Each structure stands twice: as structure tokens, then as C-alpha cells.
Amino acid sequence: QVHLVESGGDSVQTGGSLRLSCAFSGYVYSGYCMGWFRQAPGTEREGVAIIYIPAGGTYYADSVKGRFAISQDGAKNTLDLQMNSLNPEDTAMYYCVAKPGGCSSGFLRRPSRFDYWGQGTQVTVSS
């Protein structure tokens, strides 16, 4: 069983930055795909960024490329999402996710493939 707990959500103005963190426990070591999805009210869940552990291959949604960066700290068992140049379209609940097996860009469009989800952390960007 994998347990995921997000933190770091907040309210910021357009152009600001936030760093989300996901503390994970359980058997998450070699051969896991972990990442971040988000969901705004009235919309479907959207893949933001995913990373393959431990090789580190990363995949990003086109809407966040160049602004967001996903990283993993094996020593601390955390998964971080650095978000820069935020805009109101980034406003959403952000969820940490994990699944055993590999990663590819296609998984950004398949939230049902992720077995484990955190409770979410809210990001609000005002203009």
C-alpha cells in the first residue's frame, strides 16, 4: 500500500511561484511512475507532470512545459513540483499520484491508470 500526502498549495498572484511537495510512504522504489494531476471545478482531471522512478524520465503537459519542474528526493521520500510563472488557468486542486510500472507521455491523459492518489492541495492564482 502506498500513502501520499500533498502540501504546499496556496493563493498567489499571476506570475508568482509555488512549490508543491508530496510525502510518500510504502513500497515506492524502483519501477514506479509518480506525478501530479490537477482538477479545476467543472473539468476533468488533467495530467501535469510525471516522473519514472528511479531513472528520472519526465513528461509534462504542453500547458506547463518550461514553467513547471518535477523532481524526486529519494532520501526524503518526497516528490516535488516547482511551479513558476503561474497564471489563473493553473488554479486547481493538485493531486499526487503513483502507479507501479513505467511512465510515458500517454499516462498524462489516463488518470484511471494511477492506483494511488493523495487527498489534494489547492492552488489558486489570482489576476
Side-chain angles (χ1 to χ4, degrees):
Q1 186 71 18
V2 175
H3 190 53
L4 307 170
V5 180
E6 304 96 333
S7 61
D10 205 344
S11 296
V12 297
Q13 292 189 327
T14 296
S17 297
L18 281 175
R19 189 174 184 88
L20 305 183
S21 187
C22 172
F24 58 86
S25 59
Y27 190 75
V28 180
Y29 298 103
S30 181
Y32 257 74
C33 182
M34 296 190 69
W36 296 88
F37 276 67
R38 67 186 180 186
Q39 187 172 25
T43 70
E44 295 184 351
R45 291 185 175 183
E46 173 192 16
V48 176
I50 54 177
I51 184 170
Y52 182 60
I53 297 173
T58 58
Y59 304 89
Y60 294 92
D62 288 342
S63 59
V64 305
K65 281 180 182 176
R67 300 188 299 122
F68 290 12
I70 188 170
S71 60
Q72 182 242 348
D73 188 328
K76 297 180 180 179
N77 276 11
T78 59
L79 181 75
D80 294 338
L81 185 68
Q82 178 66 41
M83 306 187 296
N84 300 322
S85 302
L86 287 162
N87 59 63
E89 288 70 38
D90 297 314
T91 294
M93 185 71 79
Y94 283 70
Y95 297 92
C96 181
V97 300
K99 73 169 192 69
C103 272
S104 69
S105 60
F107 284 112
L108 290 168
R109 299 183 294 276
R110 298 184 178 94
S112 63
R113 296 296 300 273
F114 289 85
D115 301 293
Y116 304 101
W117 291 71
Q119 83 288 349
T121 187
Q122 178 67 38
V123 171
T124 302
V125 185
S126 58
S127 57

